[in-house]
Amino acid sequence: MNTLPKSKQKRDALVKATIRLVNNNGFHATPMSKIAKMAEVSPGTIYLYFKNKQDLVNQVYIEVKAAFSEFAFKDYKEDLTVKEGFKNIWKNIAEFKLKEIEEAMFLSQCDNTPIIDEPSRQEGLKHLQPLLDLLERGQKEGIIKPVSPYMLYAFSIYPIAFFMNMQERAIFKLTRENIEEAYEMAWNSIQV
């Protein structure tokens, strides 16, 4: 059996505890002592891996954003048509947000708080560059509406978070058919 070194296990436990506590309590009601307790480490152990709470939250954000992006672009190829590429990315994002609920909810929390510092946000944005490049290519080809990439993201990708929240609250269950309909609505919102 291949086991992780203890230091990696402790750091991973701190990351998971941070995600879970932030999702349940918010950033401000998640003190370092609670994170340490949930991770089953001493409070001082946190400072072996993170300078302070700000550093912890920023690093967790960047790690989760990287995992999200890796999943989103896992089988994306730049030679796909704009429509095929967008569909591929959109469906991967939907799958991530509907399966990796804790991480997706954490990212949603991060998107809606000033707690994440600007350098960390910029680092996280770098992970989305293939999508931004695809949208820009679509604009150059006259396929995608010539508006801000943030507007394109807001109308096509961000609604997936709404579906995730509705499904998590057992208000609405996404079926394959719903996902296909949602994709079509997302594509229709950005295409010319």
Side-chain angles (χ1 to χ4, degrees), residues 89-143:
I89 293 167
W90 191 95
K91 288 203 170 181
N92 286 343
I93 290 172
E95 183 180 350
F96 180 90
K97 288 189 178 262
L98 296 171
K99 287 186 175 177
E100 304 297 333
I101 303 287
E102 286 199 356
E103 288 82 0
M105 288 178 70
F106 179 79
L107 288 177
S108 287
Q109 293 246 23
C110 292
D111 288 342
N112 296 304
T113 184
I115 294 217
I116 305 301
D117 68 19
E118 195 53 32
S120 298
R121 283 193 192 282
Q122 292 304 314
E123 180 67 27
L125 195 56
K126 286 180 191 176
H127 293 288
L128 292 176
Q129 197 59 50
L131 174 59
L132 300 175
D133 292 344
L134 177 71
L135 294 173
E136 183 180 341
R137 178 166 53 109
Q139 289 175 325
K140 286 178 182 172
E141 293 176 11
I143 296 167

Side-chain angles (χ1 to χ4, degrees), residues 38-161:
M38 180 176 269
E40 298 179 346
V41 300
S42 70
T45 300
I46 294 176
Y47 299 100
L48 296 174
Y49 305 99
F50 307 100
K51 293 177 199 162
N52 51 40
K53 185 176 178 182
Q54 183 69 52
D55 183 47
L56 168 66
V57 170
N58 287 334
Q59 283 194 45
V60 172
Y61 168 74
I62 290 168
E63 285 178 31
V64 174
K65 193 71 154 186
F68 163 74
S69 299
E70 184 178 322
F71 195 94
F73 304 116
K74 65 182 174 183
D75 46 7
Y76 171 71
K77 294 178 180 39
E78 289 183 11
D79 61 348
L80 293 171
T81 67
V82 171
K83 185 174 183 176
E84 290 169 336
F86 180 78
K87 185 174 188 174
N88 175 274
I89 293 167
W90 191 95
K91 288 203 170 181
N92 286 343
I93 290 172
E95 183 180 350
F96 180 90
K97 288 189 178 262
L98 296 171
K99 287 186 175 177
E100 304 297 333
I101 303 287
E102 286 199 356
E103 288 82 0
M105 288 178 70
F106 179 79
L107 288 177
S108 287
Q109 293 246 23
C110 292
D111 288 342
N112 296 304
T113 184
I115 294 217
I116 305 301
D117 68 19
E118 195 53 32
S120 298
R121 283 193 192 282
Q122 292 304 314
E123 180 67 27
L125 195 56
K126 286 180 191 176
H127 293 288
L128 292 176
Q129 197 59 50
L131 174 59
L132 300 175
D133 292 344
L134 177 71
L135 294 173
E136 183 180 341
R137 178 166 53 109
Q139 289 175 325
K140 286 178 182 172
E141 293 176 11
I143 296 167
I144 302 289
K145 291 176 181 162
V147 297
S148 160
Y150 298 110
M151 288 184 71
L152 296 171
Y153 191 91
F155 281 88
S156 63
I157 304 296
Y158 203 71
I160 299 169

